[in-house]
Amino acid sequence: MATWFVRSVLPRLGFATRSVLASNQQLKGRLYGLAAGIRPVVQEPPTTEKDRVLGDPLKHPDFFHVSELFTLKDLFDARVHHGHKRGCRHRLMEPYLFGCRLEQDIIDLDQSVLHLQKALNFTAHCAYRKGIILFISRARQFSHLIETTAQESGEYAHTRYWQGGLLTNAHVQYGTGVRLPDLIVFINTLNNVFEQHVVVRDAAKMNIPTVGIVDSNCNPSLITYPIPGNDDTPSAVKLYCKLFKMTILRAKDKRRQMDLLYGHQKELPEPST
């Protein structure tokens, strides 16, 4: 009897067990397949004309074509690659250096081109959205140039002594509702050879994006968009001011064109002759 049970019943039980497991696996596969095939329908909000004006530039990597404003040869001719002496080198600037010759650091212009394009692109987007841009520098020899650049661009500049707390304590000094700058552009991030400008730290505290020219003796860690380059040669500073002015004016012109295109701004009548 026992031998008959082993030979006839147990194989049937094993076959039944295997069939049950196989059916369970098929059922699970069907359930998982159905669950994966069901996708929630997300209704996108209707796009308005204002959304198109503000959203279209974000869909293009170089909407304002800032890469056409300069070339690597322009940076080389302006001596942007000249750094300071090796003894003044900041350790965080070593990744941006090409090498050292006659105890003078040489900045890698390939990296300068990429970082400058990113910085100009971000500046253009801020100007396009009618943001407040503030130029800051403590180099006395370039004060008039920087102030003229800001004035011709329709923006602001501060090239004198910076009183502490103008950003972090603005609501007390100027009252509630004061608007801080949307972008700060540093033509020079240092007060002197070794001391960093206090606005670099205050802007980081207030979450204000910054664009800054960082020489081989500067600390780029608190700058949102650092631009490796020479910050004390007249030809290099003139090139920076020229590029920032062209970028801001191009972005503002593009914004006026988009407003006229989508009807947000009435076209001015032609002057009568």
Side-chain angles (χ1 to χ4, degrees):
M1 185 68 182
T3 304
W4 174 83
F5 180 79
V6 172
R7 291 181 178 179
S8 60
V9 178
L10 287 182
R12 296 178 182 177
L13 291 177
F15 175 78
T17 304
R18 288 193 297 270
S19 62
V20 171
L21 292 176
S23 61
N24 289 337
Q25 291 178 359
Q26 293 178 358
L27 181 60
K28 289 181 180 180
R30 293 177 181 176
L31 292 177
Y32 292 155
L34 292 175
I38 299 176
R39 295 181 180 179
V41 179
V42 179
Q43 296 181 355
E44 297 182 356
T47 57
T48 61
E49 294 179 353
K50 185 177 180 180
D51 295 336
R52 293 178 181 177
V53 172
L54 299 178
D56 287 347
L58 300 177
K59 299 177 182 179
H60 304 275
D62 192 8
F63 182 77
F64 304 98
H65 304 285
V66 296
S67 59
E68 302 175 354
L69 299 178
F70 69 97
T71 60
L72 190 145
K73 188 177 184 302
D74 295 334
L75 301 183
F76 181 82
D77 294 338
R79 301 179 181 179
V80 176
H81 59 289
H82 287 186
H84 286 269
K85 292 293 184 180
R86 185 171 61 178
C88 300
R89 180 192 303 173
H90 196 281
R91 60 181 181 85
L92 295 180
M93 284 297 299
E94 292 180 356
Y96 303 108
L97 299 180
F98 179 79
C100 182
R101 179 178 175 83
L102 300 177
E103 297 297 322
Q104 184 176 7
D105 289 331
I106 301 174
I107 299 174
D108 189 0
L109 289 183
D110 289 331
Q111 298 190 50
S112 299
V113 170
L114 297 177
H115 285 80
L116 183 57
Q117 289 178 357
K118 293 179 181 179
L120 292 178
N121 189 34
F122 184 77
T123 304
H125 279 282
C126 290
Y128 179 83
R129 291 172 173 261
K130 301 181 180 181
I132 297 177
I133 301 176
L134 177 62
F135 290 85
I136 288 182
S137 176
R138 283 289 288 140
R140 296 181 180 179
Q141 65 271 26
F142 304 127
S143 297
H144 179 70
L145 174 62
I146 296 172
E147 290 176 354
T148 303
T149 301
Q151 184 179 5
E152 294 176 353
S153 304
E155 301 299 337
Y156 306 89
H158 191 287
T159 59
R160 271 54 173 186
Y161 172 75
W162 182 274
Q163 182 181 359
L166 292 181
L167 294 179
T168 56
N169 205 24
H171 63 285
V172 175
Q173 298 192 22
Y174 303 106
T176 57
V178 63
R179 181 179 176 181
L180 297 179
D182 299 289
L183 174 64
I184 298 179
V185 179
F186 292 95
I187 305 299
N188 193 321
T189 60
L190 300 178
N191 283 336
N192 49 50
V193 180
F194 301 104
E195 182 182 359
Q196 191 179 48
H197 203 295
V198 66
V199 185
V200 177
R201 179 193 61 199
D202 291 348
K205 290 181 179 179
M206 302 302 295
N207 291 329
I208 299 176
T210 54
V211 170
I213 309 297
V214 287
D215 210 329
S216 60
N217 62 334
C218 300
N219 182 5
S221 60
L222 295 180
I223 304 296
T224 311
Y225 290 92
I227 305 172
N230 189 357
D231 61 356
D232 48 15
T233 301
S235 58
V237 176
K238 289 181 181 179
L239 178 62
Y240 300 145
C241 293
K242 175 185 174 183
L243 292 177
F244 279 112
K245 183 179 72 172
M246 293 173 62
T247 300
I248 294 173
L249 294 179
R250 175 176 292 194
K252 290 183 177 181
D253 291 341
K254 189 66 175 178
R255 179 57 186 268
R256 284 191 289 266
Q257 295 176 9
M258 296 291 287
D259 289 339
L260 290 174
L261 178 63
Y262 290 102
H264 290 291
Q265 178 181 348
K266 294 183 179 180
E267 189 173 359
L268 296 177
E270 297 182 356
S272 59
T273 57

